[in-house]
Protein backbone atom coordinates (compact mmCIF):
# COMPACT_ATOMS: atom_id res chain seq x y z
CA UNK A 1 0.00 0.00 0.00
CA UNK A 2 2.83 2.39 0.86
CA UNK A 3 4.60 1.69 -2.46
CA UNK A 4 1.32 2.12 -4.35
CA UNK A 5 0.60 5.40 -2.56
CA UNK A 6 4.09 6.76 -3.28
CA UNK A 7 3.98 5.52 -6.86
CA UNK A 8 0.57 7.04 -7.50
CA UNK A 9 -1.07 3.64 -8.13
CA UNK A 10 -3.32 3.43 -5.10
CA UNK A 11 -6.54 3.40 -7.18
CA UNK A 12 -5.29 0.35 -9.16
CA UNK A 13 -4.30 -1.50 -5.96
CA UNK A 14 -7.67 -0.72 -4.36
CA UNK A 15 -9.54 -1.91 -7.46
CA UNK A 16 -7.44 -5.09 -7.57
CA UNK A 17 -8.10 -5.79 -3.88
CA UNK A 18 -11.85 -5.36 -4.31
CA UNK A 19 -11.87 -7.53 -7.44
CA UNK A 20 -9.86 -10.24 -5.69
CA UNK A 21 -12.23 -10.17 -2.70
CA UNK A 22 -15.24 -10.51 -5.01
CA UNK A 23 -13.63 -13.46 -6.82
CA UNK A 24 -12.85 -15.06 -3.45
CA UNK A 25 -16.49 -14.84 -2.36
CA UNK A 26 -17.69 -16.21 -5.70
CA UNK A 27 -15.25 -19.13 -5.56
CA UNK A 28 -16.25 -19.89 -1.95
CA UNK A 29 -19.91 -20.08 -2.93
CA UNK A 30 -19.08 -22.43 -5.83
CA UNK A 31 -16.98 -24.67 -3.54
CA UNK A 32 -19.76 -24.73 -0.94
CA UNK A 33 -22.10 -25.97 -3.64
CA UNK A 34 -19.73 -28.80 -4.54
CA UNK A 35 -19.26 -29.71 -0.87
CA UNK A 36 -23.02 -29.73 -0.28
CA UNK A 37 -23.52 -31.97 -3.31
CA UNK A 38 -20.91 -34.53 -2.21
CA UNK A 39 -21.91 -34.42 1.45
CA UNK A 40 -25.53 -35.06 0.45
CA UNK A 41 -24.52 -37.92 -1.82
CA UNK A 42 -22.42 -39.37 1.00
CA UNK A 43 -25.41 -39.20 3.35
CA UNK A 44 -27.60 -40.96 0.77
CA UNK A 45 -24.90 -43.60 0.23
CA UNK A 46 -24.71 -44.23 3.97
CA UNK A 47 -28.47 -44.48 4.49
CA UNK A 48 -28.96 -46.67 1.40
CA UNK A 49 -26.35 -49.17 2.57
CA UNK A 50 -23.93 -48.41 -0.26
CA UNK A 51 -21.23 -47.50 2.26
CA UNK A 52 -21.68 -50.88 3.92
CA UNK A 53 -21.06 -52.52 0.54
CA UNK A 54 -18.01 -50.32 0.03
CA UNK A 55 -16.81 -51.21 3.56
CA UNK A 56 -17.08 -54.92 2.74
CA UNK A 57 -15.08 -54.36 -0.44
CA UNK A 58 -12.47 -52.47 1.60
CA UNK A 59 -12.35 -55.12 4.34
CA UNK A 60 -9.39 -57.11 2.95
CA UNK A 61 -7.38 -53.91 2.56
CA UNK A 62 -8.34 -52.44 5.93
CA UNK A 63 -7.54 -55.75 7.68
CA UNK A 64 -3.97 -55.58 6.31
CA UNK A 65 -3.53 -51.88 7.01
CA UNK A 66 -5.20 -51.91 10.43
CA UNK A 67 -4.71 -55.40 11.89
CA UNK A 68 -5.20 -54.25 15.50
CA UNK A 69 -8.69 -52.84 14.93
CA UNK A 70 -11.80 -55.02 15.05
CA UNK A 71 -13.69 -54.86 11.76
CA UNK A 72 -16.99 -53.86 13.41
CA UNK A 73 -15.53 -51.22 15.74
CA UNK A 74 -16.52 -47.53 15.59
CA UNK A 75 -12.91 -46.74 14.65
CA UNK A 76 -13.08 -48.99 11.57
CA UNK A 77 -16.42 -47.50 10.58
CA UNK A 78 -14.99 -43.97 10.84
CA UNK A 79 -11.89 -45.00 8.86
CA UNK A 80 -14.00 -46.52 6.07
CA UNK A 81 -16.21 -43.40 5.97
CA UNK A 82 -13.11 -41.20 5.67
CA UNK A 83 -11.55 -43.40 2.97
CA UNK A 84 -14.83 -43.32 1.06
CA UNK A 85 -15.13 -39.53 1.32
CA UNK A 86 -11.56 -39.07 0.15
CA UNK A 87 -12.01 -41.64 -2.64
CA UNK A 88 -14.92 -39.64 -4.01
CA UNK A 89 -12.90 -36.43 -3.83
CA UNK A 90 -14.81 -34.76 -1.03
CA UNK A 91 -11.63 -33.36 0.62
CA UNK A 92 -13.03 -30.71 2.99
CA UNK A 93 -16.16 -32.74 3.63
CA UNK A 94 -13.92 -35.68 4.56
CA UNK A 95 -12.21 -33.67 7.31
CA UNK A 96 -14.91 -34.18 9.98
CA UNK A 97 -14.88 -37.90 9.18
CA UNK A 98 -11.10 -37.96 9.58
CA UNK A 99 -11.36 -36.20 12.94
CA UNK A 100 -13.97 -38.73 14.08
CA UNK A 101 -11.68 -41.57 13.01
CA UNK A 102 -8.75 -40.05 14.91
CA UNK A 103 -10.89 -39.68 18.04
CA UNK A 104 -11.94 -43.34 17.83
CA UNK A 105 -8.35 -44.45 17.19
CA UNK A 106 -7.13 -42.42 20.15
CA UNK A 107 -9.69 -44.19 22.39
CA UNK A 108 -8.06 -47.49 21.39
CA UNK A 109 -4.51 -46.12 21.76
CA UNK A 110 -2.76 -47.68 24.77
CA UNK A 111 0.00 -45.06 24.97
CA UNK A 112 -2.10 -41.90 25.01
CA UNK A 113 0.91 -39.56 24.72
CA UNK A 114 2.30 -41.00 21.48
CA UNK A 115 0.68 -41.87 18.19
CA UNK A 116 0.18 -45.60 17.72
CA UNK A 117 1.16 -47.42 14.54
CA UNK A 118 -2.54 -47.51 13.68
CA UNK A 119 -2.90 -43.73 14.04
CA UNK A 120 0.21 -43.17 11.91
CA UNK A 121 -1.12 -45.49 9.21
CA UNK A 122 -4.44 -43.65 9.20
CA UNK A 123 -2.71 -40.28 8.86
CA UNK A 124 -0.74 -41.60 5.88
CA UNK A 125 -3.83 -43.14 4.30
CA UNK A 126 -5.86 -39.98 4.86
CA UNK A 127 -3.15 -37.66 3.57
CA UNK A 128 -2.23 -39.66 0.48
CA UNK A 129 -5.63 -40.98 -0.48
CA UNK A 130 -6.58 -41.97 -3.99
CA UNK A 131 -9.44 -39.94 -5.41
CA UNK A 132 -11.77 -41.35 -8.03
CA UNK A 133 -13.20 -37.91 -8.65
CA UNK A 134 -10.98 -35.02 -7.49
CA UNK A 135 -14.11 -32.88 -7.17
CA UNK A 136 -12.62 -30.00 -5.21
CA UNK A 137 -9.74 -29.50 -7.64
CA UNK A 138 -12.07 -29.81 -10.61
CA UNK A 139 -14.39 -27.22 -9.02
CA UNK A 140 -11.48 -24.86 -8.39
CA UNK A 141 -10.29 -25.23 -11.98
CA UNK A 142 -13.83 -24.65 -13.29
CA UNK A 143 -14.24 -21.57 -11.09
CA UNK A 144 -10.92 -20.24 -12.40
CA UNK A 145 -12.19 -20.58 -15.97
CA UNK A 146 -10.38 -23.74 -17.11
CA UNK A 147 -11.63 -25.03 -20.46
CA UNK A 148 -11.23 -28.67 -19.36
CA UNK A 149 -11.23 -28.71 -15.56
CA UNK A 150 -11.31 -32.53 -15.35
CA UNK A 151 -8.13 -33.01 -17.43
CA UNK A 152 -6.20 -33.52 -14.21
CA UNK A 153 -8.08 -36.67 -13.20
CA UNK A 154 -5.66 -39.30 -14.57
CA UNK A 155 -2.53 -37.50 -13.29
CA UNK A 156 -4.21 -37.23 -9.87
CA UNK A 157 -4.81 -41.01 -9.91
CA UNK A 158 -1.20 -41.75 -10.81
CA UNK A 159 0.36 -39.38 -8.28
CA UNK A 160 -2.04 -40.48 -5.53
CA UNK A 161 -1.35 -44.17 -6.16
CA UNK A 162 2.42 -43.68 -6.09
CA UNK A 163 2.29 -41.48 -2.96
CA UNK A 164 -0.02 -43.92 -1.18
CA UNK A 165 2.12 -46.94 -2.06
CA UNK A 166 5.31 -45.27 -0.84
CA UNK A 167 3.63 -43.95 2.33
CA UNK A 168 2.08 -47.29 3.29
CA UNK A 169 5.29 -49.21 2.54
CA UNK A 170 7.32 -46.79 4.64
CA UNK A 171 4.82 -47.02 7.53
CA UNK A 172 4.88 -50.84 7.44
CA UNK A 173 8.69 -50.82 7.47
CA UNK A 174 8.76 -48.45 10.45
CA UNK A 175 6.10 -50.50 12.27
CA UNK A 176 8.55 -53.39 12.40
CA UNK A 177 11.27 -51.21 13.95
CA UNK A 178 10.99 -50.19 17.57
CA UNK A 179 12.40 -46.79 18.47
CA UNK A 180 13.42 -45.90 22.01
Amino acid sequence: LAAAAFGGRLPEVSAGALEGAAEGVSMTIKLCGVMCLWTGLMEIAEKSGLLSVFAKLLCPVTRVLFPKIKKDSPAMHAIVMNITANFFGMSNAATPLGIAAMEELQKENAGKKAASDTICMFVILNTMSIQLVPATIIALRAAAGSENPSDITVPVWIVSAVALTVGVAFAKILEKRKFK
Side-chain angles (χ1 to χ4, degrees):
L1 286 174
F6 285 121
R9 301 185 60 87
L10 198 53
E12 289 91 347
V13 170
S14 295
L18 290 174
E19 184 180 320
E23 286 179 20
V25 169
S26 176
M27 187 170 294
T28 300
I29 290 169
K30 289 176 185 176
L31 285 176
C32 284
V34 171
M35 281 184 58
C36 288
L37 169 71
W38 283 109
T39 303
L41 289 174
M42 192 68 161
E43 188 72 22
I44 291 168
E46 182 178 17
K47 290 186 178 181
S48 70
L50 185 60
L51 287 184
S52 297
V53 171
F54 196 71
K56 287 177 184 171
L57 292 173
L58 281 176
C59 192
V61 174
T62 55
R63 296 303 320 141
V64 171
L65 295 176
F66 303 102
K68 296 175 186 169
I69 300 176
K70 296 175 186 168
K71 73 176 187 176
D72 58 344
S73 74
M76 189 60 79
H77 176 74
I79 288 169
V80 168
M81 290 286 290
N82 179 264
I83 290 170
T84 304
N86 279 320
F87 182 72
F88 289 111
M90 294 171 54
S91 59
N92 290 340
T95 301
L97 300 170
I99 292 170
M102 288 299 278
E103 288 172 348
E104 291 298 329
L105 291 171
Q106 184 61 17
K107 287 177 188 175
E108 296 183 15
N109 186 8
K112 299 287 184 192
K113 293 189 180 206
S116 66
D117 291 338
T118 304
I119 289 173
C120 292
M121 180 61 75
F122 176 70
V123 168
I124 289 168
L125 196 65
N126 186 44
T127 305
M128 300 177 192
S129 64
I130 293 176
Q131 294 185 357
L132 176 65
V133 181
T136 302
I137 296 172
I138 291 171
L140 282 171
R141 287 173 48 91
S146 173
E147 288 183 22
N148 297 307
S150 62
D151 280 355
I152 50 103
T153 303
V154 173
V156 165
W157 292 343
I158 294 167
V159 170
S160 298
V162 170
L164 183 62
T165 302
V166 170
V168 168
F170 192 63
K172 286 295 185 183
I173 289 167
L174 290 178
E175 265 183 29
K176 297 187 184 321
R177 298 183 66 187
K178 295 296 175 194
F179 296 97
K180 293 183 180 185

Short mmCIF file of all heavy atoms in Angstrom, two decimals, residues 88-124:
data_model
loop_
_atom_site.label_atom_id
_atom_site.label_comp_id
_atom_site.label_asym_id
_atom_site.label_seq_id
_atom_site.Cartn_x
_atom_site.Cartn_y
_atom_site.Cartn_z
N PHE A 88 -14.01 -40.36 -3.13
CA PHE A 88 -14.92 -39.64 -4.01
C PHE A 88 -14.58 -38.16 -4.12
O PHE A 88 -15.36 -37.38 -4.64
CB PHE A 88 -16.37 -39.86 -3.59
CG PHE A 88 -16.84 -41.25 -3.88
CD1 PHE A 88 -17.12 -42.15 -2.87
CD2 PHE A 88 -16.99 -41.67 -5.20
CE1 PHE A 88 -17.54 -43.44 -3.16
CE2 PHE A 88 -17.41 -42.96 -5.49
CZ PHE A 88 -17.68 -43.84 -4.47
N GLY A 89 -13.40 -37.78 -3.63
CA GLY A 89 -12.90 -36.43 -3.83
C GLY A 89 -13.56 -35.35 -3.00
O GLY A 89 -13.59 -34.19 -3.39
N MET A 90 -14.08 -35.72 -1.84
CA MET A 90 -14.81 -34.76 -1.03
C MET A 90 -13.90 -33.85 -0.21
O MET A 90 -14.38 -32.90 0.38
CB MET A 90 -15.80 -35.49 -0.12
CG MET A 90 -16.88 -36.18 -0.90
SD MET A 90 -17.90 -37.26 0.10
CE MET A 90 -18.45 -36.20 1.39
N SER A 91 -12.66 -34.10 -0.12
CA SER A 91 -11.63 -33.36 0.62
C SER A 91 -12.14 -32.66 1.87
O SER A 91 -12.11 -33.24 2.94
CB SER A 91 -10.85 -32.44 -0.30
OG SER A 91 -11.69 -31.50 -0.91
N ASN A 92 -12.62 -31.44 1.78
CA ASN A 92 -13.03 -30.71 2.99
C ASN A 92 -14.18 -31.39 3.72
O ASN A 92 -14.24 -31.35 4.94
CB ASN A 92 -13.43 -29.27 2.64
CG ASN A 92 -12.24 -28.44 2.25
OD1 ASN A 92 -11.11 -28.76 2.58
ND2 ASN A 92 -12.49 -27.37 1.54
N ALA A 93 -15.07 -32.02 3.00
CA ALA A 93 -16.16 -32.74 3.63
C ALA A 93 -15.66 -34.00 4.32
O ALA A 93 -16.32 -34.52 5.22
CB ALA A 93 -17.24 -33.08 2.61
N ALA A 94 -14.50 -34.50 3.93
CA ALA A 94 -13.92 -35.68 4.56
C ALA A 94 -13.23 -35.34 5.88
O ALA A 94 -12.99 -36.24 6.69
CB ALA A 94 -12.91 -36.34 3.62
N THR A 95 -12.93 -34.08 6.10
CA THR A 95 -12.21 -33.67 7.31
C THR A 95 -12.93 -34.06 8.60
O THR A 95 -12.32 -34.65 9.48
CB THR A 95 -11.89 -32.17 7.27
OG1 THR A 95 -11.10 -31.90 6.11
CG2 THR A 95 -11.15 -31.72 8.51
N PRO A 96 -14.23 -33.76 8.75
CA PRO A 96 -14.91 -34.18 9.98
C PRO A 96 -14.88 -35.69 10.19
O PRO A 96 -14.78 -36.19 11.31
CB PRO A 96 -16.34 -33.68 9.82
CG PRO A 96 -16.29 -32.65 8.76
CD PRO A 96 -15.12 -32.99 7.89
N LEU A 97 -14.94 -36.44 9.08
CA LEU A 97 -14.88 -37.90 9.18
C LEU A 97 -13.49 -38.34 9.62
O LEU A 97 -13.35 -39.30 10.40
CB LEU A 97 -15.23 -38.52 7.82
CG LEU A 97 -16.63 -38.20 7.29
CD1 LEU A 97 -16.77 -38.66 5.84
CD2 LEU A 97 -17.69 -38.82 8.17
N GLY A 98 -12.46 -37.66 9.15
CA GLY A 98 -11.10 -37.96 9.58
C GLY A 98 -10.89 -37.65 11.06
O GLY A 98 -10.24 -38.41 11.78
N ILE A 99 -11.46 -36.56 11.52
CA ILE A 99 -11.36 -36.20 12.94
C ILE A 99 -12.07 -37.25 13.79
O ILE A 99 -11.55 -37.67 14.82
CB ILE A 99 -11.92 -34.79 13.18
CG1 ILE A 99 -11.00 -33.75 12.52
CG2 ILE A 99 -12.08 -34.50 14.67
CD1 ILE A 99 -11.57 -32.35 12.47
N ALA A 100 -13.24 -37.68 13.34
CA ALA A 100 -13.97 -38.73 14.08
C ALA A 100 -13.15 -40.01 14.14
O ALA A 100 -13.08 -40.68 15.18
CB ALA A 100 -15.32 -38.98 13.42
N ALA A 101 -12.51 -40.36 13.03
CA ALA A 101 -11.68 -41.57 13.01
C ALA A 101 -10.51 -41.42 13.98
O ALA A 101 -10.19 -42.36 14.72
CB ALA A 101 -11.16 -41.84 11.59
N MET A 102 -9.88 -40.26 13.99
CA MET A 102 -8.75 -40.05 14.91
C MET A 102 -9.20 -40.14 16.37
O MET A 102 -8.49 -40.70 17.21
CB MET A 102 -8.10 -38.69 14.64
CG MET A 102 -7.32 -38.64 13.36
SD MET A 102 -5.95 -39.82 13.32
CE MET A 102 -4.74 -38.89 14.22
N GLU A 103 -10.37 -39.60 16.67
CA GLU A 103 -10.89 -39.68 18.04
C GLU A 103 -11.13 -41.14 18.44
O GLU A 103 -10.79 -41.55 19.55
CB GLU A 103 -12.18 -38.87 18.17
CG GLU A 103 -11.95 -37.38 18.15
CD GLU A 103 -13.24 -36.55 18.08
OE1 GLU A 103 -14.33 -37.13 17.82
OE2 GLU A 103 -13.15 -35.33 18.28
N GLU A 104 -11.70 -41.93 17.53
CA GLU A 104 -11.94 -43.34 17.83
C GLU A 104 -10.62 -44.10 17.97
O GLU A 104 -10.48 -44.96 18.84
CB GLU A 104 -12.81 -43.98 16.74
CG GLU A 104 -14.23 -43.49 16.72
CD GLU A 104 -15.00 -43.80 18.01
OE1 GLU A 104 -14.72 -44.83 18.66
OE2 GLU A 104 -15.87 -42.99 18.37
N LEU A 105 -9.66 -43.79 17.10
CA LEU A 105 -8.35 -44.45 17.19
C LEU A 105 -7.63 -44.08 18.48
O LEU A 105 -6.96 -44.93 19.09
CB LEU A 105 -7.49 -44.10 15.98
CG LEU A 105 -7.94 -44.69 14.65
CD1 LEU A 105 -7.14 -44.09 13.50
CD2 LEU A 105 -7.83 -46.20 14.66
N GLN A 106 -7.78 -42.85 18.91
CA GLN A 106 -7.13 -42.42 20.15
C GLN A 106 -7.74 -43.14 21.36
O GLN A 106 -7.04 -43.46 22.31
CB GLN A 106 -7.23 -40.90 20.33
CG GLN A 106 -6.50 -40.36 21.53
CD GLN A 106 -5.00 -40.62 21.54
OE1 GLN A 106 -4.39 -40.94 20.53
NE2 GLN A 106 -4.40 -40.51 22.70
N LYS A 107 -9.05 -43.43 21.31
CA LYS A 107 -9.69 -44.19 22.39
C LYS A 107 -9.06 -45.57 22.52
O LYS A 107 -8.97 -46.11 23.62
CB LYS A 107 -11.19 -44.33 22.13
CG LYS A 107 -11.98 -43.07 22.32
CD LYS A 107 -13.45 -43.32 21.97
CE LYS A 107 -14.24 -42.03 21.97
NZ LYS A 107 -15.63 -42.23 21.53
N GLU A 108 -8.64 -46.15 21.39
CA GLU A 108 -8.06 -47.49 21.39
C GLU A 108 -6.54 -47.47 21.58
O GLU A 108 -5.91 -48.52 21.65
CB GLU A 108 -8.41 -48.21 20.08
CG GLU A 108 -9.90 -48.45 19.92
CD GLU A 108 -10.24 -49.22 18.66
OE1 GLU A 108 -9.33 -49.81 18.04
OE2 GLU A 108 -11.42 -49.24 18.29
N ASN A 109 -5.95 -46.28 21.64
CA ASN A 109 -4.51 -46.12 21.76
C ASN A 109 -4.08 -46.37 23.21
O ASN A 109 -4.51 -45.66 24.12
CB ASN A 109 -4.11 -44.71 21.30
CG ASN A 109 -2.61 -44.51 21.25
OD1 ASN A 109 -1.84 -45.45 21.42
ND2 ASN A 109 -2.21 -43.28 21.02
N ALA A 110 -3.23 -47.35 23.41
CA ALA A 110 -2.76 -47.68 24.77
C ALA A 110 -1.85 -46.59 25.33
O ALA A 110 -1.96 -46.20 26.48
CB ALA A 110 -2.04 -49.03 24.76
N GLY A 111 -0.91 -46.12 24.54
CA GLY A 111 0.00 -45.06 24.97
C GLY A 111 -0.54 -43.71 24.55
O GLY A 111 -0.25 -43.23 23.46
N LYS A 112 -1.35 -43.10 25.39
CA LYS A 112 -2.10 -41.90 25.01
C LYS A 112 -1.22 -40.71 24.62
O LYS A 112 -1.66 -39.80 23.97
CB LYS A 112 -3.01 -41.46 26.16
CG LYS A 112 -4.04 -42.48 26.54
CD LYS A 112 -5.13 -42.59 25.52
CE LYS A 112 -6.20 -43.55 25.98
NZ LYS A 112 -7.13 -43.93 24.97
N LYS A 113 0.06 -40.71 25.00
CA LYS A 113 0.91 -39.56 24.72
C LYS A 113 1.65 -39.66 23.39
O LYS A 113 2.26 -38.70 22.95
CB LYS A 113 1.91 -39.36 25.85
CG LYS A 113 1.24 -38.95 27.14
CD LYS A 113 2.21 -38.54 28.19
CE LYS A 113 1.43 -38.16 29.43
NZ LYS A 113 2.15 -37.23 30.24
N ALA A 114 1.62 -40.81 22.76
CA ALA A 114 2.30 -41.00 21.48
C ALA A 114 1.33 -41.63 20.49
O ALA A 114 0.43 -42.37 20.86
CB ALA A 114 3.52 -41.90 21.66
N ALA A 115 1.53 -41.30 19.24
CA ALA A 115 0.68 -41.87 18.19
C ALA A 115 1.01 -43.35 18.01
O ALA A 115 2.17 -43.73 17.92
CB ALA A 115 0.88 -41.12 16.88
N SER A 116 -0.02 -44.17 17.95
CA SER A 116 0.18 -45.60 17.72
C SER A 116 0.48 -45.83 16.24
O SER A 116 0.30 -44.95 15.40
CB SER A 116 -1.09 -46.36 18.11
OG SER A 116 -2.15 -46.00 17.25
N ASP A 117 0.93 -47.05 15.94
CA ASP A 117 1.16 -47.42 14.54
C ASP A 117 -0.13 -47.27 13.73
O ASP A 117 -0.11 -46.86 12.57
CB ASP A 117 1.66 -48.86 14.43
CG ASP A 117 3.07 -49.02 14.98
OD1 ASP A 117 3.80 -48.02 15.06
OD2 ASP A 117 3.43 -50.17 15.33
N THR A 118 -1.25 -47.60 14.34
CA THR A 118 -2.54 -47.51 13.68
C THR A 118 -2.88 -46.06 13.34
O THR A 118 -3.34 -45.76 12.24
CB THR A 118 -3.64 -48.12 14.57
OG1 THR A 118 -3.27 -49.46 14.89
CG2 THR A 118 -4.99 -48.12 13.88
N ILE A 119 -2.64 -45.15 14.28
CA ILE A 119 -2.90 -43.73 14.04
C ILE A 119 -1.99 -43.22 12.92
O ILE A 119 -2.44 -42.51 12.02
CB ILE A 119 -2.72 -42.91 15.33
CG1 ILE A 119 -3.86 -43.21 16.30
CG2 ILE A 119 -2.65 -41.42 15.03
CD1 ILE A 119 -3.72 -42.58 17.67
N CYS A 120 -0.72 -43.60 12.96
CA CYS A 120 0.21 -43.17 11.91
C CYS A 120 -0.22 -43.68 10.54
O CYS A 120 -0.17 -42.94 9.55
CB CYS A 120 1.63 -43.64 12.24
SG CYS A 120 2.34 -42.81 13.68
N MET A 121 -0.66 -44.93 10.49
CA MET A 121 -1.12 -45.49 9.21
C MET A 121 -2.35 -44.72 8.71
O MET A 121 -2.46 -44.42 7.52
CB MET A 121 -1.44 -46.98 9.35
CG MET A 121 -1.93 -47.61 8.07
SD MET A 121 -0.75 -47.54 6.71
CE MET A 121 0.40 -48.80 7.24
N PHE A 122 -3.26 -44.40 9.62
CA PHE A 122 -4.44 -43.65 9.20
C PHE A 122 -4.07 -42.27 8.66
O PHE A 122 -4.61 -41.82 7.66
CB PHE A 122 -5.46 -43.51 10.34
CG PHE A 122 -6.63 -42.67 9.93
CD1 PHE A 122 -7.55 -43.13 9.02
CD2 PHE A 122 -6.78 -41.39 10.43
CE1 PHE A 122 -8.61 -42.34 8.60
CE2 PHE A 122 -7.83 -40.59 10.02
CZ PHE A 122 -8.76 -41.07 9.11
N VAL A 123 -3.14 -41.60 9.32
CA VAL A 123 -2.71 -40.28 8.86
C VAL A 123 -2.13 -40.38 7.45
O VAL A 123 -2.43 -39.56 6.57
CB VAL A 123 -1.70 -39.64 9.83
CG1 VAL A 123 -1.04 -38.41 9.23
CG2 VAL A 123 -2.38 -39.28 11.14
N ILE A 124 -1.32 -41.40 7.22
CA ILE A 124 -0.74 -41.60 5.88
C ILE A 124 -1.84 -41.88 4.86
O ILE A 124 -1.88 -41.29 3.79
CB ILE A 124 0.30 -42.74 5.90
CG1 ILE A 124 1.53 -42.28 6.66
CG2 ILE A 124 0.65 -43.20 4.49
CD1 ILE A 124 2.50 -43.37 7.00
#
